[in-house]
Amino acid sequence: MNVLVIGNGGREHAILLALRKSKRVDKLYCMKGNAGTAQIAENVDVDYMNVSAVKKYVGEHPEIDYIVVAPDDPLAIGLVDELEAMGKRCFGPRKNAAIIEASKAFSKNLMKKYNIPTAESEIFSDYDKALQYIRAKGAPIVLKADGLALGKGVLVCEDLKQAEEGLKEIMLDKAFGAAGNVIVIEECLKGLKYTPGEEVSVLAFTDGKTIVPMITSCDHKRVYDGDKGPNTGGMGTFSPCPFWSEELEKEVYDKIMLPTMHAMNAEGRTFKGCLYFGLMRTDNGMKVVEYNSRFGDPETQVILPMLKTDLMDVFEAVTDERLADIKIEWEEGACVCVVLASGGYPLGYAKGKQITIGNTGEAVLVHAGTAVKDGKLVTSGGRVLGVVSKGKTIEDARKKAYKAVKGIHWEGMQYRTDIGEKYRKG
Ligand code: AMP
Ligand code: GLY
């Protein structure tokens, strides 16, 4: 089989690295890809948000048998629907199901209607009414722009002043564009402010009939050590989540995963693909913080290396709605990904800095914002590389990853030094 993966980042490189291990995959393509994907796939220089350009390319390449649409934005505009209409087999939800991530108002209403545990919230499209509500509720309080905002549309406000400023930014100044026409105002889940580590990402494969959780992972969203500084796309991950247990898995499966799959079916929006549950452990049990309609980045970088089953078999089982028939197996042990970012990220940063890579031991380098210019490897984005190591324990894996980091350099390179430390004391 020849497989095209759509997307440019570390997640897509990680998916390609897993597909490369498949016995059934011949040639890999990546649209547009980066310097890492170019080593194992043919990079295709087409803008994946330009639906007619994607369709033209796919139409001209009948040798492509299967297409994985990885990022949220092409899913939200219905790229899967368009490719399926051309007779292509795809991995990723259709537009009417991708809305579970693309509209937070949709997902909050869904959870309310189907009794799926989440933070209490109200939805507003009127600034004055939203302001009144915030003043009545008081801080801490969480503001979420309804639409997609590159992972930056959520403001956790510690005091009323911050909340009022945030509301103005989102609804009046349109800091996230049209994504802020509608706002979700949410209760700040208890405990988070003091223990930001109570979050876990559980990704699941689902074909609309069966839902199968993958191994758990934990992200580090803030840019600096100790969960300080602004939110980013994710500065590092580790797997598995140390506080995870069979009891929690059962609770999440029975009260969150299965009900979500059934709710989407009942709404006529069957979800097929990877459904990502961002969860928080609270005094009142596990609650949904967010849904994503896709693999997480950088969660995928620590999950897929642990997958023993052929990823292509899993993808096809989802497409053909026979996920119940296959067994998905995982390696024992742990995996850590340390993200190396450009200086200044998540705000302004320079591009085109030359990257030098020395001895990185057993670590795997997953490329995100990299390119080749005049024969040299250079930075081309905010998150540049993920340094991924496996180990017997998280501690073992993180030591190997940080040892490898020492061998990598460019001007302005920044990274967190505490990835995987969060739950060291349980
Ligand atoms: P999201 O973009 O939805 O993942 O939100 C970004 C981050 O904001 C989450 O990972 C949480 O740390 C935090 N967050 C979101 N919703 C809440 C909430 N209701 N209470 C506390 N923290 C939240
Ligand atoms: N790492 C969080 C996300 O992919 O949304």
Side-chain angles (χ1 to χ4, degrees):
M1 291 182 76
N2 302 309
V3 183
L4 166 65
V5 175
I6 289 184
N8 299 330
R11 164 184 51 209
E12 289 75 19
H13 192 197
I15 292 171
L16 287 161
L17 286 167
L19 288 174
R20 193 182 53 159
K21 290 194 284 185
S22 169
K23 287 185 209 71
R24 298 173 39 238
V25 172
D26 299 312
K27 187 166 176 189
L28 291 167
Y29 300 78
C30 189
M31 185 185 284
K32 293 183 166 185
N34 54 42
T37 65
Q39 291 167 8
I40 54 173
E42 182 179 322
N43 278 357
V44 176
D45 191 14
V46 170
D47 171 13
Y48 57 70
M49 289 303 283
N50 181 341
V51 174
S52 47
V54 177
K55 285 170 72 173
K56 181 167 179 283
Y57 178 83
V58 169
E60 286 166 1
H61 291 80
E63 71 277 13
I64 293 173
D65 303 293
Y66 194 91
I67 303 170
V68 181
V69 182
D72 51 2
D73 36 1
L75 291 168
I77 62 168
L79 189 58
V80 167
D81 309 50
E82 297 279 347
L83 294 170
E84 283 182 347
M86 294 176 75
K88 289 291 169 186
R89 284 151 54 72
C90 297
F91 185 85
R94 292 182 186 157
K95 185 178 178 179
N96 73 351
I99 192 174
I100 199 166
E101 171 171 9
S103 167
K104 289 193 192 285
F106 170 86
S107 66
K108 292 306 291 194
N109 283 330
L110 186 86
M111 288 185 271
K112 224 176 242 180
K113 183 168 170 188
Y114 294 92
N115 281 317
I116 296 165
T118 186
E120 270 181 35
S121 66
E122 289 291 335
I123 298 164
F124 296 93
S125 51
D126 181 279
Y127 170 78
D128 292 316
K129 286 194 180 133
L131 184 62
Q132 267 175 21
Y133 181 79
I134 287 178
R135 287 184 175 157
K137 284 283 169 185
I141 196 157
V142 180
L143 310 184
K144 300 186 169 184
D146 171 52
L148 297 178
L150 297 171
K152 295 174 194 162
V154 173
L155 305 178
V156 180
C157 306
E158 314 268 324
D159 56 50
L160 206 54
K161 186 165 166 275
Q162 239 186 338
E164 290 188 11
E165 280 169 9
L167 183 70
K168 183 173 166 292
E169 250 173 60
I170 295 176
M171 292 197 87
L172 298 184
D173 306 342
K174 300 280 182 216
F176 309 110
N181 289 348
V182 172
I183 194 166
V184 173
I185 304 183
E186 203 167 270
E187 148 205 27
C188 188
L189 289 173
K190 201 172 158 236
L192 172 90
K193 201 173 132 200
Y194 309 100
T195 54
E198 297 287 297
E199 287 185 68
V200 53
S201 306
V202 187
L203 284 61
F205 292 109
T206 177
D207 59 4
K209 297 176 175 162
T210 308
I211 185 158
V212 184
M214 305 182 205
I215 47 169
T216 56
S217 59
C218 299
D219 194 5
H220 298 66
K221 290 198 201 248
R222 304 297 189 105
V223 69
Y224 303 126
D225 282 6
D227 292 319
K228 301 265 172 18
N231 268 326
T232 68
M235 292 299 288
T237 37
F238 59 88
S239 172
C241 167
F243 67 66
W244 200 243
S245 63
E246 269 180 37
E247 294 76 53
L248 278 185
E249 176 138 334
K250 185 169 170 15
E251 175 189 333
V252 167
Y253 186 81
D254 292 345
K255 295 191 176 156
I256 295 176
M257 292 191 156
L258 215 46
T260 302
M261 184 184 83
H262 288 145
M264 291 298 276
N265 287 338
E267 294 293 309
R269 296 175 182 274
T270 295
F271 189 104
K272 288 169 67 173
C274 170
L275 185 50
Y276 168 131
F277 299 82
L279 305 172
M280 197 175 301
R281 184 168 63 162
T282 74
D283 291 346
N284 295 317
M286 297 298 287
K287 293 197 177 178
V288 177
V289 174
E290 64 164 344
Y291 290 117
N292 290 327
S293 60
R294 52 172 174 85
F295 282 101
D297 188 344
E299 284 87 345
T300 308
Q301 286 86 317
V302 292
I303 293 173
L304 291 185
M306 307 304 278
L307 179 65
K308 285 207 271 186
T309 313
D310 187 321
L311 182 59
M312 200 60 232
D313 287 345
V314 183
F315 280 170
E316 286 204 293
V318 169
T319 304
D320 301 338
E321 298 177 18
R322 43 177 183 74
L323 192 55
D325 301 340
I326 68 164
K327 192 161 190 287
I328 301 178
E329 293 182 295
W330 302 94
E331 284 178 26
E332 299 285 327
C335 193
V336 169
C337 172
V338 177
V339 169
L340 308 181
S342 296
Y345 175 79
L347 305 173
Y349 54 84
K351 291 183 186 177
K353 300 290 178 192
Q354 193 181 332
I355 305 169
T356 53
I357 299 178
N359 182 6
T360 51
E362 295 164 39
V364 173
L365 297 188
V366 179
H367 289 235
T370 64
V372 175
K373 200 175 155 199
D374 303 328
K376 290 183 178 130
L377 184 66
V378 297
T379 65
S380 69
R383 292 188 292 175
V384 176
L385 288 169
V387 181
V388 177
S389 284
K390 288 190 206 176
K392 286 197 182 69
T393 60
I394 288 171
E395 193 51 30
D396 182 27
R398 65 175 245 115
K399 275 192 187 137
K400 286 186 196 157
Y402 278 109
K403 200 168 159 205
V405 167
K406 290 207 169 74
I408 303 169
H409 179 77
W410 70 84
E411 190 194 324
M413 177 177 111
Q414 61 159 338
Y415 59 92
R416 280 182 61 159
T417 65
D418 63 350
I419 303 301
E421 272 189 10
K422 242 179 199 173
Y423 302 113
R424 260 167 131 183
K425 297 182 184 77

